[in-house]
Amino acid sequence: MAKQRVAVLISGRGSNMASLIDAAGDDGYPAEIALVVSNRPDAAGLERARSQGIKTAVIDHTQYGKDREAFERALQDMLSAYRIDLVCLAGFMRLLTTWFVGQWQGRMLNIHPALLPAFKGLHTHERALAAGVKTHGATVHFVSPEMDSGPIIARAEVPVLADDTPETLAARVLEAEHRIYPQALRQVAEERARS
Ligand code: GAR
């Protein structure tokens, strides 16, 4: 089977993107990272992708003002030009419209730094500590119109330790993210997970 062509959408550091690029470097992996797109020109992940020989593009959302759909049409045109099969959101910090999500139904994944359905939204590690949970983690799911709510593909649990800070907990969760995102993308690319 031909490899699935994947675009990774980022807004920042790009460590999850890097874990996907690493996995896709394996001959037997069913997907290739054909494109990395950032909505921010200064995202550190862009340089990281380029240094690994991956094509990158910037679609700066600030150029589109409040017109979310115009931003997304530009994104959609770019994804079509690169004949993208699957989209992976990896620290992509823009909410997407129902229109765009509909274009990619069952073909767009997101990674979230919590055990969904717990702690949707931002500041998940601070909130997990404040809630006193003993187990926290990460989730990869299909993107649906409602934020952080689509069908779950993979989850990884990590313990919360007594002396954790948001930073130490984030680092433990991030390791788990880097493990499960490539696995979840493999499942979807091999059509072993469906929304
Ligand atoms: C990751 O922890 C990811 O789960 C989170 O942002 C971080 C991005 O790091 N995503 C969200 O919070 C989505 N709402 P990275 O740029 O190093 O992959």
Side-chain angles (χ1 to χ4, degrees):
M1 203 167 98
K3 288 186 186 245
Q4 300 281 304
R5 292 173 60 78
V6 174
V8 184
L9 271 51
I10 64 169
S11 299
R13 177 176 59 179
S15 72
N16 277 292
M17 170 207 78
S19 77
L20 295 173
I21 293 172
D22 282 350
D26 185 343
D27 283 346
Y29 197 76
E32 61 179 299
I33 309 305
L35 180 67
V36 167
V37 184
S38 174
N39 65 308
R40 298 181 57 116
D42 60 350
L46 286 169
E47 190 46 46
R48 203 159 171 176
R50 280 186 212 115
S51 73
Q52 292 185 264
I54 308 289
K55 290 249 168 30
T56 63
V58 173
I59 302 179
D60 181 351
H61 67 274
T62 63
Q63 304 293 308
Y64 298 88
K66 288 199 189 318
D67 193 346
R68 261 178 209 279
E69 289 201 10
F71 164 74
E72 291 179 351
R73 279 195 299 275
L75 182 55
Q76 183 68 14
D77 288 348
M78 176 81 67
L79 299 176
S80 301
Y82 278 83
R83 292 175 288 109
I84 296 301
D85 301 305
L86 298 171
V87 173
C88 288
L89 307 182
F92 183 70
M93 304 310 265
R94 298 291 297 166
L95 290 176
L96 295 167
T97 67
T98 304
W99 173 75
F100 187 83
V101 172
Q103 298 299 308
W104 292 94
Q105 196 188 345
R107 299 188 297 142
M108 181 156 60
L109 289 65
N110 180 48
I111 187 150
H112 182 74
L115 290 173
L116 291 174
F119 306 118
K120 297 175 182 179
L122 298 175
H123 309 299
T124 56
H125 309 308
E126 287 86 343
R127 287 160 55 212
L129 288 175
V133 294
K134 297 287 174 254
T135 308
H136 186 43
T139 307
V140 181
H141 63 95
F142 285 109
V143 177
S144 65
E146 202 186 329
M147 187 188 67
D148 300 332
S149 297
I152 290 172
I153 304 162
R155 297 205 308 170
E157 294 188 358
V158 305
V160 179
L161 306 182
D163 57 354
D164 264 333
T165 63
E167 291 71 30
T168 59
L169 184 55
R172 196 173 308 119
V173 171
L174 195 62
E175 272 180 35
E177 293 185 41
H178 296 164
R179 207 167 52 244
I180 63 171
Y181 211 173
Q183 290 170 2
L185 175 58
R186 174 187 279 278
Q187 282 183 42
V188 174
E190 290 177 346
E191 298 182 358
R192 289 187 288 118
R194 278 166 208 269
S195 63

